[in-house]
Amino acid sequence: MVRTLSVIKADIGGFVGHSGMHPDVMDVLRKNMDDAINKSLLIDGQVHACGDDAFLIMSHDNGEDNKDVHKFAWDSFIDGTEVAKKLHLYGAGQDLLVDAFSGNIKGAGPGSAELEYEERPSEPVIIFMGDKTSAGSFNLPFYKMFADPFNTAGLVISESLHQGFAFEVHDVKEHKKIILNSPEEIYDLLVFIGSPARYAVKRVVSRTSNSIACVSSTDKLSEIAGRYVGKDDPTSIVRCQGDFPAVGEVLEAFTTAWTVEGFMRGSHYGPWMPVSLDEANPSRFDGPPRVVALGFQLADGKLIGPRDMFDDPSFDNARAEANDISDYLRKHGPFEPHRLPLDEMEYTTMPTVADKLNKRWSEI
Ligand code: 13P
Ligand code: 13P
Ligand code: MG
Ligand code: MG
């Protein structure tokens, strides 16, 4: 039978500033989650945080884009926002962009990644949660996991991975998609996914079994609101083993602190640091950007876990690298390439400053 794993996430208020979540907000989200399980809307569910973003992990039989599941997530974020408002948390309700919920979370502000799957006898999945970064940040790690044999040994030595994977790439500005096959179209694929501010990998599918290997959130808040309202801190779900990369191959893709956009005011590039749940509270220059990996075994739709996968000294070098890169980039202050290029700054608070000086410019 087809089951669904949905991750719906939002920033509904930061504690302190944009650095973390307040326990009282987490409590109300967890209480709502327990109610939804008791009422049988969900088979199972958990709430976790990375920085100032709350991630609702929901296992159910209702399929993708289910109105009741999406409404539950929206209502839960509204309840959390109420607590955040009472405590005067920072940016309470930051990602809830519409006044009235219309039945689907897409286009309303929160980010979502939903996986429909037939549960295998053993179903290991990893849920990634990002903060201080943006949609498209998973492009490079997904490429490493599903297309790079120097990362994923299985592409070479396992028959079930040898046929490669199909990448569904979304153009987040033009709202178009294309499917490109690895390995034979990797040069075409890289033309697009190498530019993650515009093109984001939405899904990867096994060419052996046609089953979905991973999904990610590609919602871009600036595209929804038309102005800067905080960032689309992303999430993704990755299936492991069998026809998919092994758990260790999936995690190997994060042994380098890749440069992503989203550091301070959503306006700077910084290194994406793989961290445990306890270390997911970005505070230096509101960063550096973080990623947490929660490992689960699914058992008849129940979430067995999580194991906090980056809580492992083998990621210490990536964390040290992230700190070194932060030190180096920070020295550039307001200069590119630490600050985002001008066309990306269009989606930040900078245009209002530039507008103020419009009249002072003259011909040369
Ligand atoms: P085990 O022999 O521990 O199952 O490991 C197999 C494997 O593929 C590890 O990557
Ligand atoms: P969030 O999108 O995580 O709220 O971060 C906003 C920001 O840019 C903080 O400097
Ligand atoms: Mg915030
Ligand atoms: Mg955030």
Side-chain angles (χ1 to χ4, degrees):
M1 82 176 282
V2 178
R3 293 199 188 281
T4 310
L5 187 57
S6 302
V7 183
I8 301 185
K9 49 87 36 198
D11 175 345
I12 51 173
F15 173 63
V16 171
H18 290 282
S19 66
M21 288 285 302
H22 193 281
D24 291 2
V25 179
M26 293 300 282
D27 282 349
V28 75
L29 297 177
R30 288 196 169 118
K31 189 193 156 298
N32 287 355
M33 186 67 83
D34 289 345
D35 290 348
I37 298 165
N38 290 336
K39 286 183 188 145
S40 302
L41 171 67
L42 306 175
I43 303 169
D44 203 357
Q46 293 188 11
V47 185
H48 293 282
C50 180
D52 60 358
D53 287 77
F55 295 73
L56 311 183
I57 300 173
M58 299 171 286
S59 172
H60 56 93
D61 285 337
N62 307 309
E64 266 181 69
D65 289 323
N66 180 266
K67 212 173 135 211
D68 297 331
V69 172
H70 283 218
K71 183 168 170 18
F72 160 71
W74 178 264
D75 289 346
S76 206
F77 289 140
I78 295 281
D79 289 351
T81 297
E82 236 172 75
V83 177
K85 280 186 175 154
K86 263 188 214 135
L87 299 175
H88 296 212
L89 299 184
Y90 198 72
Q94 177 181 284
D95 289 354
L96 308 184
L97 301 182
V98 296
D99 294 328
F101 180 69
S102 67
N104 195 301
I105 211 89
K106 283 189 195 125
S112 64
E114 300 191 281
L115 170 75
E116 288 189 359
Y117 66 101
E118 292 265 0
E119 194 182 288
R120 298 168 291 167
S122 179
E123 186 65 64
V125 300
I126 297 176
I127 293 176
F128 291 97
M129 312 190 293
D131 188 37
K132 306 298 176 269
T133 181
S134 60
S137 295
F138 286 108
N139 287 7
L140 204 166
F142 281 171
Y143 180 82
K144 299 293 284 181
M145 288 171 208
F146 297 106
D148 181 2
F150 282 73
N151 181 94
T152 298
L155 293 168
V156 178
I157 63 177
S158 163
E159 210 186 336
S160 57
L161 277 75
H162 206 81
Q163 287 186 57
F165 290 86
F167 286 69
E168 180 182 317
V169 179
H170 286 200
D171 177 337
V172 295
K173 295 216 162 91
E174 297 283 329
H175 307 285
K176 292 189 299 197
K177 66 179 179 186
I178 186 170
I179 293 170
L180 292 163
N181 287 323
S182 166
E184 64 271 31
E185 293 181 306
I186 54 170
Y187 297 160
D188 296 324
L189 175 67
L190 288 167
V191 167
F192 300 105
I193 68 169
S195 192
R198 166 124 185 216
Y199 299 98
V201 177
K202 179 69 191 174
R203 259 181 215 90
V204 177
V205 174
S206 159
R207 294 173 71 193
T208 305
S209 60
N210 258 332
S211 26
I212 299 172
C214 75
V215 287
S216 80
S217 59
T218 51
D219 318 80
K220 261 200 143 357
L221 287 178
S222 55
E223 292 292 315
I224 298 169
R227 68 194 150 83
Y228 183 69
V229 284
K231 292 171 331 317
D232 17 271
D233 293 320
T235 184
S236 68
I237 309 172
V238 182
R239 298 171 80 186
C240 309
Q241 308 290 150
D243 293 342
F244 311 115
V247 168
E249 290 168 335
V250 168
L251 298 173
E252 179 71 9
F254 292 90
T255 45
T256 288
W258 308 112
T259 300
V260 293
E261 63 170 70
F263 213 162
M264 184 52 82
R265 297 174 186 276
S267 307
H268 295 79
Y269 285 112
W272 209 10
M273 186 190 261
V275 290
S276 66
L277 280 168
D278 283 346
E279 293 181 333
N281 299 295
S283 40
R284 178 204 177 169
F285 200 58
D286 286 1
R290 303 298 153 106
V291 55
V292 167
L294 300 179
F296 296 93
Q297 291 287 154
L298 303 177
D300 302 315
K302 287 236 182 297
L303 297 162
I304 310 303
R307 274 219 57 239
D308 193 354
M309 306 305 280
F310 289 145
D311 185 10
D312 178 340
S314 64
F315 290 93
D316 284 351
N317 286 359
R319 294 188 266 268
E321 182 183 49
N323 280 324
D324 288 343
I325 296 167
S326 293
D327 287 343
Y328 168 76
L329 283 174
R330 283 298 305 122
K331 289 179 189 166
H332 292 75
F335 280 76
E336 298 175 14
H338 184 27
R339 201 181 77 185
L340 297 189
L342 270 188
D343 56 336
E344 279 293 305
M345 292 295 285
E346 210 183 303
Y347 300 102
T348 69
T349 46
M350 186 172 132
T352 44
V353 179
D355 280 353
K356 220 171 55 185
L357 297 172
N358 254 345
K359 288 205 181 78
R360 304 261 305 269
W361 288 92
S362 58
E363 295 288 326
I364 40 174

